[in-house]
Amino acid sequence: MDVNEVLLPGVGLRYEIPVADGGLLGVVARRDGEFELMLADDDPDEPRPLLRLRRDEADALAGILGAPRIAERFADLTREVPGLQAGQVEVPEGPYGGRPLGQTRARTLTGASIVAIVRGEEVIPSPGPETVLAAGDVLVVIGTADGIAAVERLVAG
């Protein structure tokens, strides 16, 4: 399936997916971490808004629809948006081992998003706030260089 990507300066990326019953499904991955779903009948520049999702809602939907694909798109986003980077942060023995990811408030405090957790051979894509962290987990983080560094300081305590 062809997925067209359109850079929306200052906003993020729009993915356009032709759907079988006609039209074009648009998914806007906003720089603020939210997502918008749109449907265009004929003109992709005049889509009808369907739904706006907060990050946690988009994570839940991505988990249902296929999170690994979404994680790939986040990696693409780092190539398309100047200043956006992907990084890895290891969770040390410290304040967050054994605690839910949501308790870190990482996105709120740093502006960076944790898009996956690597735990040994297992990858947890789009972890929700209820996902419990363990020492040794590697967090896949998307954000600015400063945001990624702030996540590292945060989880270190």
Side-chain angles (χ1 to χ4, degrees):
M1 167 172 284
D2 291 331
V3 177
N4 187 33
E5 298 179 9
V6 179
L7 179 62
L8 304 174
V11 176
L13 280 176
R14 180 177 66 208
Y15 301 99
E16 299 172 342
I17 304 164
V19 290
D21 62 350
L24 200 61
L25 176 65
V27 179
V28 176
R30 299 180 58 88
R31 294 178 71 181
D32 63 6
E34 293 189 347
F35 294 83
E36 295 177 8
L37 301 179
M38 301 175 189
L39 185 62
D41 295 321
D42 297 318
D43 186 351
D45 292 327
E46 293 189 28
R48 289 180 286 125
L50 296 175
L51 186 61
R52 186 173 185 142
L53 300 171
R54 294 185 327 249
R55 170 60 196 237
D56 59 331
E57 296 164 336
D59 287 346
L61 181 61
I64 294 168
L65 298 177
R69 184 92 173 125
I70 297 298
E72 290 173 17
R73 296 298 177 199
F74 274 116
D76 291 344
L77 188 61
T78 65
R79 289 191 295 270
E80 299 285 339
V81 179
L84 194 62
Q85 298 180 13
Q88 297 183 359
V89 174
E90 184 170 340
V91 177
E93 294 288 339
Y96 294 107
R99 293 175 57 191
L101 174 61
Q103 288 185 7
T104 66
R105 301 183 60 227
R107 189 177 182 301
T108 300
L109 296 175
T110 69
S113 296
I114 297 169
V115 298
I117 298 173
V118 179
R119 180 174 294 154
E121 299 294 320
E122 178 187 15
V123 176
I124 303 168
S126 301
E130 73 286 347
T131 303
V132 176
L133 298 175
D137 282 352
V138 176
L139 309 176
V140 179
V141 183
I142 302 290
T144 63
D146 290 343
I148 294 169
V151 169
E152 189 167 12
R153 289 189 301 274
L154 178 69
V155 298

